[in-house]
Amino acid sequence: MLPVKGIIFLLLLFLPFQIYAHRVNLFVDQIGNNLEITAFFPDGSPCKECRVEVLDKKGRVLQITKTDEVGKAILSMGNVTDIKVVLKAGEGHQAEKFIKFDTPKKEPNKKQSSNLSMNKQSQVVKTLKGEDSNSISSDQLSEIQAELKGLRQEIVELRKNSQRIWLRDIFSVLGYLLGVWALLTLWKRKNAS
Amino acid sequence: MHISEGVLSPVYLISGWLVSGGAVLFSLKALSGREIPRVALLSGLFFVISLIHIPLGPTSVHLTLNGLLGILLGQAVFPAIFVALFFQALFFQYGGISVLGINTLTMALPPYLFSLLFSRYLQKGKYTLLIGFLSGFLSLLSSGLLMALILYLSNPKLYLLSGIFAGTYLPISLAEGIITAFAVLYLKRTHPEVIRCCQ
């Protein structure tokens, strides 16, 4: 019989410490023509100065960068489709993500652009006059953009929390682990009998 | 204490699976039903303790107690570590299924070999504290060196990474050695029957 008290003591010794290991989480989002990369460890701390490689379908390196102090990197992408983002966190730990990069449509030429801006201005004027309820003013647009930024930040936090390892996760998996050994015991007993 | 997916070449992945798979099966076959609860408990200990990190300077470290598992389980250290690593890979994405073989091999082979080497000294009951320390220290250090060697052999460009990997194992191995030494001393005095060599 093992000294259960001793093992419990050993476990309690380390319980106050954070529970996580060297896994690294990687999230890649396309925002317009940019690739926004977020990398963090399971405790939510950012993966600082981690090397990021962007490769094409054939495995050729397209871009290399490093994450900043908050574990983020923004890359401006050219005309690419399928790409692989590899994050190297050191000591043999890395994470990969494949994404389909939708290259944004080409910018309209200057003439079209000026026509568009004229249209936008006239729409704003119409809105102010209450002529077109579907149009939005530049103030409203900036409000929406600020709200979207907040939502995006919230999504990042949710992702971090979903990847975090809690004590309840460890104990539930411990149940599976002991279950496997219990099944083996049953199997051995059945064979022996 | 693991190598992630996508780092090693297929030759190493297949070799790792073949060798550790064979060791796990052989060990399971030899394992008696009476011993399984002990293996299960220590497999659980390895699983939990390697998820708990202790901040150390700019980085953080965790214990594995693989040296202690070697002394207490002998060859059964292979299935104990295999099952723990399997669940870590499956539920928490640490390591991975393809690298499970090589990770099991690097973590279980050194403690098994050191348990063979030190068992006669433990049986005599001499230098228990020192033997415990050496088992813990050398087992983990050898695991780290073995991983660094595999990383280097798989891709010589990873020589710098391999060096860092090996370097970070030294302080952790010392801590592991001290904890294993006291654990072995305590078990030898109070429950000598749980130590594989002294049954």
Side-chain angles (χ1 to χ4, degrees):
Chain A
M1 182 74 188
L2 266 175
V4 180
K5 280 182 190 171
I7 287 173
I8 292 172
F9 171 71
L10 266 178
L11 289 177
L12 287 176
L13 257 181
F14 298 102
L15 276 188
F17 296 105
Q18 288 169 313
I19 293 171
Y20 65 99
H22 293 299
R23 186 185 63 173
V24 61
N25 298 308
L26 169 69
F27 290 102
V28 184
D29 295 301
Q30 183 185 349
I31 297 163
N33 205 25
N34 292 337
L35 208 60
E36 193 179 282
I37 294 146
T38 316
F40 51 87
F41 294 104
D43 69 331
S45 61
C47 185
K48 296 175 190 173
E49 299 286 315
C50 294
R51 187 184 160 96
V52 178
E53 288 176 5
V54 180
L55 297 99
D56 66 5
K57 270 193 286 190
K58 291 173 184 170
R60 285 178 301 206
V61 179
L62 298 173
Q63 288 200 51
I64 296 174
T65 188
K66 277 190 173 182
T67 54
D68 61 10
E69 285 295 299
V70 291
K72 280 197 173 187
I74 295 174
L75 289 170
S76 180
M77 300 304 296
N79 196 11
V80 288
T81 50
D82 297 326
I83 54 167
K84 182 167 91 165
V85 180
V86 180
L87 177 92
K88 295 186 175 173
E91 294 184 22
H93 303 104
Q94 69 177 42
E96 293 177 0
K97 273 270 152 71
F98 290 91
I99 71 157
K100 275 197 179 292
F101 193 85
D102 299 318
T103 310
K105 283 173 190 169
K106 280 182 182 173
E107 293 283 323
N109 59 37
K110 276 187 181 176
K111 200 177 172 185
Q112 284 174 325
S113 165
S114 64
N115 285 341
L116 275 173
S117 61
M118 288 281 280
N119 285 339
K120 273 182 188 170
Q121 278 177 2
S122 64
Q123 274 182 340
V124 171
V125 172
K126 277 179 186 175
T127 309
L128 288 171
K129 286 177 181 173
E131 287 176 13
D132 189 354
S133 59
N134 291 327
S135 307
I136 52 166
S137 68
S138 58
D139 285 346
Q140 283 173 317
L141 190 68
S142 54
E143 259 179 49
I144 291 168
Q145 278 173 340
E147 210 165 299
L148 277 175
K149 202 179 171 187
L151 277 172
R152 273 183 38 217
Q153 190 56 38
E154 217 165 290
I155 291 168
V156 169
E157 290 304 315
L158 280 170
R159 281 172 174 174
K160 279 185 184 175
N161 279 335
S162 70
Q163 297 296 314
R164 203 168 283 183
I165 295 171
W166 304 97
L167 264 180
R168 61 168 186 266
D169 301 322
I170 292 179
F171 283 110
S172 52
V173 179
L174 199 57
Y176 285 111
L177 185 145
L178 295 176
V180 166
W181 289 107
L183 285 174
L184 189 72
T185 312
L186 279 175
W187 183 71
K188 285 253 178 194
R189 276 189 188 170
K190 202 179 168 185
N191 276 1
S193 64
Chain B
M1 307 292 176
H2 60 252
I3 298 172
S4 299
E5 299 256 31
V7 177
L8 297 179
S9 55
V11 179
Y12 289 90
L13 299 176
I14 295 165
S15 310
W17 261 105
L18 286 175
V19 178
S20 60
V24 168
L25 287 176
F26 178 77
S27 174
L28 280 179
K29 208 175 173 187
L31 195 66
S32 71
R34 201 172 57 87
E35 287 175 304
I36 292 177
R38 186 170 51 167
V39 181
L41 199 60
L42 288 162
S43 181
L45 178 71
F46 177 87
F47 170 80
V48 174
I49 212 121
S50 53
L51 286 172
I52 299 172
H53 272 225
I54 305 155
L56 183 78
T59 181
S60 63
V61 295
H62 66 82
L63 298 171
T64 64
L65 297 182
N66 64 340
L68 184 65
L69 260 71
I71 289 176
L72 298 182
L73 300 175
Q75 67 182 19
V77 69
F78 280 98
I81 287 180
F82 176 83
V83 172
L85 289 178
F86 171 73
F87 280 104
Q88 282 188 357
L90 197 66
F91 286 91
F92 304 131
Q93 290 81 51
Y94 293 155
I97 300 299
S98 71
V99 283
L100 184 59
I102 208 88
N103 282 336
T104 304
L105 190 69
T106 51
M107 290 311 293
L109 186 64
Y112 173 58
L113 294 178
F114 284 115
S115 76
L116 291 178
L117 185 70
F118 294 132
S119 61
R120 78 171 83 155
Y121 298 104
L122 274 175
Q123 263 172 339
K124 285 177 187 168
K126 284 182 179 176
Y127 315 115
T128 309
L129 200 64
L130 180 68
I131 297 296
F133 173 79
L134 287 176
S135 298
F137 174 72
L138 293 175
S139 294
L140 191 61
L141 190 67
S142 307
S143 294
L145 292 174
L146 197 57
M147 273 191 196
L149 180 71
I150 290 166
L151 277 173
Y152 175 73
L153 289 175
S154 179
N155 185 357
K157 284 180 188 170
L158 294 172
Y159 72 95
L160 189 63
L161 181 70
S162 307
I164 295 167
F165 208 77
T168 53
Y169 268 79
L170 195 65
I172 317 165
S173 305
L174 279 170
E176 185 110 345
I178 293 165
I179 289 173
T180 309
F182 284 103
V184 171
L185 187 69
Y186 174 76
L187 291 171
K188 189 83 172 67
R189 282 181 183 168
T190 56
H191 299 81
E193 73 280 1
V194 300
I195 297 177
R196 186 88 183 169
C197 67
C198 307
Q199 284 171 335

